[in-house]
Amino acid sequence: MKKTKLAKQQSEYKEAKERFEKANAAFQNKLATVKLLGVVTQEKVEELIEDTGLHNALNDLGIAEKSLLEWSHEAIQSEKDYLQNKDAVDKMYAFIDQDPSIKAKLIQAAMKIN
């Protein structure tokens, strides 16, 4: 099976997503331990978020998503399917932050661009 080289934006998104998933897993594990030991407070949750790097990982993921989506919108503009459905596709990109399911679909599609 031939591996295709990812574009810079695809690689950055993939790496940011992996960092977020690792930070989130660490946060969830520590939170579970805190729950076993007693009451979870807002301060403790904030401490765990800071300790695990979850906040930074989420911010990095958001930046990588934005970059990936901007890149993908530019990359598809000469594609036949895009040209035939330009208004509908552009509308999807315009409302991307208002509908998480559209955003997820566009991110999946962007990761498949060669």
Side-chain angles (χ1 to χ4, degrees), residues 30-85:
K30 288 184 176 196
L31 182 60
T33 301
V34 170
K35 285 179 181 179
L36 287 174
L37 298 175
V39 179
V40 179
T41 64
Q42 180 68 30
E43 293 79 20
K44 189 61 180 174
V45 170
E46 290 173 6
E47 180 184 321
L48 294 177
I49 289 171
E50 183 68 30
D51 287 350
T52 59
L54 184 59
H55 186 261
N56 291 338
L58 181 58
N59 286 342
D60 291 346
L61 180 58
I63 291 166
E65 282 179 352
K66 186 175 191 296
S67 177
L68 175 69
L69 292 167
E70 288 172 355
W71 167 81
S72 70
H73 195 195
E74 290 175 19
I76 64 170
Q77 294 197 10
S78 63
E79 297 292 325
K80 181 181 175 187
D81 289 342
Y82 171 78
L83 296 172
Q84 292 174 342
N85 300 294

